[in-house]
Structures are given as C-alpha cells and as structure tokens.
Amino acid sequence: MPLERRDPPPGRLALFPGSFDPLTNGHVDIVLRSAHLFERVLIAVLVNPDKQPLFTPEERVEIIRKVFREYPNVEVDTFAGLLVDYARQKRASAIVRGLRAVSDFEYEFQMALMNRHLEPTLETVFMMPAEQYTYLSSRLIKEVFSLGGEVRGLVPPIVEEQMRKKQRAGQGAGAQGAGAQ
Ligand code: PNS
C-alpha cells in the first residue's frame, strides 16, 4: 500500500521511547547519533504502573535532563498508554530504537510492525550503538551494581551518583522490575 502523501512537520522529531531505568551509556550513544540525524529528539520515558522501578519516572526525567542539558535539540518527557498515540500527539516523524545484537531483533521487529499497523505513517528507525555498549542493559547495570560491581563508564556519572544515593537510602538497586534495555 503506498504511503499517503503528507506535509512533513516543521523540524523532524524523533521519539526515543523506553524505560531508561536507568539510562545507560548505550542509550546516550543512540540519543547523540539521533540528534545528528533529526532536528529534535524527544526521549520518552514510559510510565508503567505494573513495574517496580529503581527510579520513579520523574526521577528518570530529571536525571536524563541533566545528562543532556548541553544539547538544546534533546528533550525529555514521560508518556503512558500507546506509543503511537503519543507519537501522533507530538507529531513525531520516527521512533528510534537501538539494536544491540541479533537477540534484540525479534522483539524490536514485532514492535515496529505492530506500531506500523497502528499508525502506518510512523517509521521506526533502528540504530546500532558503539561496539563497547552492545552488552549493556539497564537490567544488568542494576544487577551488577546491587551486587557491588563497578558500573563506572557504563552509565553517565550522574546516573551512578543517583544509584549510590538510592543505595545509601536503603532502596538498593536490585534487578526487580528492570526494563529489558
Ligand atoms: O526500554 P524498553 O522497556 O525496551 O521500552 C519498551 C517500550 C517503552 C518502547 C514499549 O514497551 C512501548 O512502546 N510501550 C508503550 C505501550 C505500547 O505502545 N505498546 C505496544 C508496542 S508495539
């Protein structure tokens, strides 16, 4: 089916959705690559009441804003419900997702096609992070950190600092409720 003709919205906006609990250097890498390709990048933090996150969505937004404070074309927000509805509301041109390895492909492929089924004019763009980040996931970061492992260089310094703060406050950084990315 040919795509319907439409006027491109002013300044192409890429949505980078995810759990970001916490943001890793792999996520940062994808955001910076996207910021070169698109006029604006909106990091959209999923509010998922079913999960027991390490950081609340508001904390994640605050941390991510700090990480990208020097990038005027990178914005941060939360969303709930269907991603395609949020993308329509924001007039996004594309959804950006990172592909680390073949193991990511099946899930990402299903999501991209389901999102296309729901909103045929919205493209999903896959980007590969730098090789040194291909093994990173938020879930593993939390697990390693909670067991006393070193996460320096794997997450932005602000994230590490906030994880230490949580740990000191006795909230730990366990793997429960971790997002896959
Ligand atoms: O970082 P994650 O957890 O891999 O991100 C997954 C995310 C947030 C992109 C996905 O769960 C999502 O889009 N959720 C919103 C609900 C939705 O639209 N579901 C249908 C996806 S096909």
Side-chain angles (χ1 to χ4, degrees):
M1 182 182 68
L3 282 180
E4 148 203 348
R5 255 180 185 281
R6 61 221 135 106
D7 293 330
R12 292 201 172 271
L13 172 72
L15 264 193
F16 183 38
S19 305
F20 306 111
D21 187 41
L23 183 85
T24 70
N25 281 345
H27 294 131
V28 173
D29 182 282
I30 297 293
V31 171
L32 297 183
R33 287 171 198 280
S34 308
H36 278 119
L37 284 184
F38 294 88
E39 276 79 20
R40 292 159 57 219
V41 178
L42 176 55
I43 303 171
V45 177
L46 175 69
V47 177
N48 186 349
D50 299 338
K51 281 192 177 177
Q52 287 248 306
L54 170 62
F55 292 110
T56 66
E58 294 72 27
E59 286 171 331
R60 278 175 262 166
V61 166
E62 200 185 323
I63 292 169
I64 299 170
R65 278 210 182 112
K66 281 185 183 156
V67 170
F68 294 103
R69 66 178 167 249
E70 282 167 22
Y71 295 85
N73 66 334
V74 177
E75 300 154 44
V76 194
D77 191 13
T78 56
F79 81 104
L82 273 183
L83 177 62
V84 291
D85 288 340
Y86 182 71
R88 266 188 219 116
Q89 185 197 321
K90 293 290 171 184
R91 302 190 69 208
S93 300
I95 293 170
V96 167
R97 293 286 289 172
L99 266 190
R100 293 165 298 189
V102 177
S103 50
D104 281 341
F105 182 77
E106 200 170 325
Y107 171 62
E108 294 297 336
F109 186 68
Q110 281 181 347
M111 272 209 305
L113 292 186
M114 178 57 84
N115 283 330
R116 180 183 282 170
H117 168 78
L118 296 170
E119 177 49 71
T121 63
L122 186 66
E123 293 297 336
T124 300
V125 174
F126 293 108
M127 303 190 81
M128 281 160 286
E131 302 86 90
Q132 68 263 36
Y133 303 131
T134 50
Y135 63 92
L136 283 190
S137 74
S138 298
R139 184 184 58 78
L140 268 186
I141 294 288
K142 283 186 280 197
E143 187 173 322
V144 167
F145 186 81
S146 70
L147 297 171
E150 183 60 73
V151 297
R152 188 157 304 158
L154 306 180
V155 295
I158 297 169
V159 172
E160 190 188 347
E161 199 179 288
Q162 293 302 316
M163 288 177 84
R164 292 204 184 285
K165 223 179 197 175
K166 284 264 173 199
Q167 199 175 46
R168 281 196 298 273
Q171 286 176 258
Q176 78 277 27
Q181 297 226 337

